[in-house]
């Protein structure tokens, strides 16, 4: 060292020393927080299944391997048994097994690698078709209840074809089946299925179409998850029933079709009615209709009887009989009234005739004649008495008295003849005796003015002997 300078030692920095446990713990935290959930694909090996139920294995590829652990709660959901050498796809979180310092993948989901890719493609296609509205419930068309012809798109050599034909023949023999043959798996399946659907839609020679295939793996059924097949189903002008796979299988074609059946056999049962059930329903309906018709007939018979009774009461014949009876009654009353009126009129006429006779000039003449005779008798007696006295007194005065008596008788006879002529001049009987008649109307009034008598009225003419009844036909 140079003179004048002093050296000073720097203090040593403080050192943070990690324990192995601490380091492993912090590394675990960093791994879990930094990477999160991962999807990893690899070959399964070194599988261990202890009594705890957990699975421990490794995933490897050509250049590396990764330790994995899948706890019992999660692996109980796996639908297959893993085997060494199987290519798998897993989802999990990166962690560190602190006791050994080994970094590992804690698995939450495990599936076969090929299936996983298909599942992802399934979800992608499903989401796109759903966005386009191909799964909308309002576009689902109802199936015809009694189809006359059924289109069947399936493999001509598959078991599904035989099952469907047997069920259709057993349940509903009238239905005819038109087969559009098509492979249902493999490279040719998709274009052939699309062509069959297009042909069936264009020809429109069926009432509906069944798209059918038996069960199989996801790869076997993949043609029915293809977007082209789904859009062909959507564009088909006929209702489409999809019966693909078994009950646990589900395809995109099931979602697009108008109806989904769990199996091909179920599809056949779905599209046609059971003839036995139809016959039973028809029998029940016939019984109900027969009972209804009988009830209606009984009700109509009751109404008919009621109408017949009312008709009997209101029948024109009955009314006519009643009116005829009333007419007879009125006729009898009219006849009786007419006879009574005629009798009364006859009595009145007799009274009038009697009164007329009382006031008749002939009666007066008779009275005057009787009085004249009485006067003549009295006069004769008086004359005789006077004559006798006169003769007794004087014979001389006899001649003079005789002359005077004769003169008085002559004068009295002249006065009587004059009175008789005057009475005849005013007496209607004298007029009647000369060919004239006395006219009376229906009420017995003497007619003196032609204007008071109506045309067609009946009048009575009294003659010298008898009466006449006449009808007025005109006036002047």
């Amino acid at each position: 060292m140079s003179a004048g300078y002093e050296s000073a030692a720097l203090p040593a920095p403080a050192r943070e020393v990690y324990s192995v446990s601490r380091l492993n713990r912090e590394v675990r935290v960093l791994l879990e927080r930094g990477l999160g959930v991962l999807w990893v694909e690899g070959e399964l090996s070194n599988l261990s299944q202890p009594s705890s139920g957990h699975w421990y294995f490794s995933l490897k590829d050509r250049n590396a391997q990764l330790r994995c652990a899948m706890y019992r709660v999660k692996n109980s959901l796996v639908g297959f048994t893993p085997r060494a050498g199987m290519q798998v796809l897993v989802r999990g979180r990166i962690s560190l097994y602190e006791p050994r310092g080994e970094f590992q993948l804690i698995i939450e989901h495990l599936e076969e690698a090929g299936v996983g890719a298909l599942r992802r493609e399934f979800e992608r296609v499903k989401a796109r078709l759903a966005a386009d509205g191909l799964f909308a419930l309002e576009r689902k068309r109802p199936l015809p209840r009694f189809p006359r012809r059924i289109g069947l798109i399936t493999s001509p050599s598959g078991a599904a074809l035989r099952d469907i034909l047997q069920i259709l023949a057993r349940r509903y023999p009238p239905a005819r089946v038109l087969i559009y043959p098509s492979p249902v798996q493999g490279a040719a399946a998709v274009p052939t299925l699309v062509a069959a659907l297009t042909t069936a839609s264009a020809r429109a020679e069926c009432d509906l179409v069944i798209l059918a295939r038996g069960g199989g793996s996801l790869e076997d059924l993949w043609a029915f998850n293809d977007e082209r097949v789904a859009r062909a189903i959507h564009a088909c002008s006929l209702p489409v029933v999809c019966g693909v796979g078994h009950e646990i299988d589900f395809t995109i074609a099931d979602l697009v079709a108008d109806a989904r059946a769990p199996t091909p056999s179920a599809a056949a049962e779905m599209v046609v009615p059971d003839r036995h059930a139809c016959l039973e329903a028809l029998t029940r309906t016939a019984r109900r209709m027969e009972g209804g018709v009988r009830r209606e007939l009984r009700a109509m018979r009751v109404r008919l009887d009621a109408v017949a009774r009312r008709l009997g009461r209101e029948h024109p014949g009955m009314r006519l009989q009643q009116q005829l009876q009333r007419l007879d009654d009125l006729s009898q009353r009219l006849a009786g009234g007419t006879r009574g009126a005629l009798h009364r009129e006859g009595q009145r006429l007799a009274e009038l005739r009697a009164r007329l006779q009382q006031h008749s000039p002939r009666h007066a003449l008779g009275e005057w004649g009787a009085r004249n005779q009485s006067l003549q008798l009295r006069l004769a007696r008086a004359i005789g008495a006077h004559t006798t006295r006169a003769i007794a007194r004087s014979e001389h005065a006899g001649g003079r008295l005789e002359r005077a008596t004769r003169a008085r008788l002559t004068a009295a006879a002249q006065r009587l003849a004059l009175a008789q002529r005057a009475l005849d001049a005013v007496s209607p009987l004298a007029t009647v005796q000369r060919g004239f008649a006395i006219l009376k109307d229906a009420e017995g009034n003497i007619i003196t003015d032609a204007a008071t008598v109506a045309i067609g009225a009946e009048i009575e003419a009294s003659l010298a002997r008898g009466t006449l009844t006449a009808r007025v036909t005109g006036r002047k």
Side-chain angles (χ1 to χ4, degrees):
M1 282 187 181
S2 302
Y5 287 91
E6 296 182 358
S7 61
L10 295 174
R15 292 179 294 184
E16 184 177 3
V17 180
Y18 282 80
S19 65
V20 176
S21 298
R22 179 185 175 189
L23 177 60
N24 285 348
R25 183 170 59 255
E26 292 191 6
V27 169
R28 179 182 62 78
V29 172
L30 289 174
L31 289 173
E32 292 176 351
R33 290 179 178 177
L35 294 177
V37 177
L38 300 173
W39 285 91
V40 181
E41 184 176 348
E43 180 183 339
L44 189 148
S45 64
N46 302 321
L47 177 62
S48 174
Q49 298 177 343
S51 60
S52 63
H54 306 319
W55 291 351
Y56 301 99
F57 54 88
S58 297
L59 289 180
K60 65 179 182 178
D61 56 20
R62 289 182 184 178
N63 302 315
Q65 67 177 2
L66 173 66
R67 294 292 299 172
C68 300
M70 190 173 191
Y71 300 125
R72 182 176 59 185
V73 176
K74 298 296 183 180
N75 65 38
S76 63
L77 302 177
V78 176
F80 64 95
T81 302
R83 298 183 305 274
M86 181 180 291
Q87 195 74 12
V88 296
L89 178 68
V90 299
R91 184 185 69 233
R93 296 176 179 273
I94 290 295
S95 183
L96 185 74
Y97 184 56
E98 297 178 18
R100 294 182 184 174
E102 295 178 350
F103 116 89
Q104 62 182 358
L105 183 63
I106 307 299
I107 297 176
E108 298 176 353
H109 174 75
L110 183 146
E111 63 185 38
E112 296 184 66
V115 176
L118 294 178
R119 289 291 183 190
R120 289 194 296 274
E121 179 64 15
F122 178 92
E123 295 297 334
R124 184 183 64 80
V125 174
K126 178 182 174 182
R128 183 163 59 249
L129 296 180
D132 292 343
L134 269 68
F135 305 153
L137 295 178
E138 57 270 16
R139 64 158 295 275
K140 304 292 185 182
R141 292 164 292 191
L143 304 181
R145 187 175 181 185
F146 299 101
R148 292 173 296 178
R149 179 177 287 183
I150 300 170
L152 179 56
I153 301 176
T154 189
S155 172
S157 60
L161 176 61
R162 295 190 298 272
D163 294 342
I164 290 175
L165 293 179
Q166 290 175 359
I167 292 173
L168 292 178
R170 173 174 52 83
R171 286 178 60 88
Y172 195 64
R176 297 294 178 261
V177 180
L178 182 59
I179 300 174
Y180 300 89
S182 172
V184 291
Q185 70 182 66
V190 172
T192 310
L193 289 173
V194 172
L197 287 166
T198 304
T199 301
S201 177
R203 292 181 179 176
E205 53 195 347
C206 300
D207 298 317
L208 57 91
V209 173
I210 297 177
L211 190 61
R213 188 206 189 282
S217 64
L218 182 59
E219 291 86 350
D220 296 336
L221 304 178
W222 189 250
F224 298 93
N225 291 319
D226 192 278
E227 183 174 351
R228 291 169 291 176
V229 175
R231 293 193 181 276
I233 294 173
H234 180 264
C236 185
S237 62
L238 305 174
V240 178
V241 177
C242 187
V244 175
H246 298 304
E247 294 186 9
I248 61 173
D249 298 321
F250 209 92
T251 65
I252 289 178
D254 293 322
L255 300 174
V256 182
D258 296 286
R260 183 224 175 217
T263 63
S265 300
E269 294 179 353
M270 178 184 295
V271 298
V272 295
D274 185 0
R275 62 174 177 175
H276 299 293
C278 290
L279 291 175
E280 292 178 0
L282 287 175
T283 302
R284 292 193 298 270
T285 303
R287 292 197 188 99
R288 290 198 299 271
M289 291 180 64
E290 183 179 359
V293 169
R294 289 179 178 175
R295 289 191 296 273
E296 186 65 21
L297 286 176
R298 286 196 294 270
M300 292 178 66
R301 187 174 292 110
V302 172
R303 292 196 295 271
L304 182 61
D305 293 341
V307 170
R309 289 192 295 271
R310 290 178 55 191
L311 185 61
R313 294 192 297 269
E314 303 294 334
H315 194 275
M318 295 295 296
R319 298 288 298 275
L320 184 60
Q321 291 180 358
Q322 294 175 0
Q323 295 299 328
L324 288 174
Q325 183 177 0
R326 184 180 179 189
L327 180 61
D328 293 339
D329 184 29
L330 292 176
S331 299
Q332 293 175 1
R333 291 172 59 187
L334 179 61
T338 303
R339 287 194 297 270
L342 290 175
H343 180 69
R344 289 192 297 273
E345 291 298 326
Q347 290 181 346
R348 182 184 175 193
L349 182 61
E351 293 176 358
L352 291 174
R353 187 171 292 168
R355 290 171 60 188
L356 180 62
Q357 290 177 356
Q358 291 176 359
H359 296 83
S360 174
R362 185 179 297 170
H363 182 71
L365 286 174
E367 290 181 352
W368 282 102
R371 290 180 63 186
N372 187 21
Q373 291 178 359
S374 176
L375 288 173
Q376 287 180 358
L377 290 175
R378 289 173 62 188
L379 179 60
R381 285 194 296 272
I383 291 172
H386 181 73
T387 300
T388 301
R389 286 194 299 272
I391 291 173
R393 280 198 253 34
S394 178
E395 289 285 338
H396 179 74
R400 197 174 51 186
L401 179 60
E402 182 179 359
R403 289 191 296 273
T405 302
R406 289 177 178 170
R408 292 185 63 181
L409 289 174
T410 301
Q414 291 176 351
R415 288 196 300 273
L416 180 61
L418 183 62
Q420 187 171 359
R421 285 195 296 272
L423 182 61
D424 290 337
V426 298
S427 174
L429 294 178
T431 303
V432 171
Q433 291 292 333
R434 291 195 300 272
F436 292 94
I438 300 173
L439 302 181
K440 298 179 182 179
D441 58 16
E443 286 77 16
N445 300 319
I446 296 176
I447 300 172
T448 60
D449 187 358
T452 61
V453 182
I455 300 299
E458 289 187 355
I459 60 175
E460 184 180 274
S462 297
L463 305 176
R465 289 189 296 275
T467 60
L468 295 176
T469 299
R471 185 181 300 277
V472 178
T473 60
R475 289 194 299 261
K476 292 184 180 180

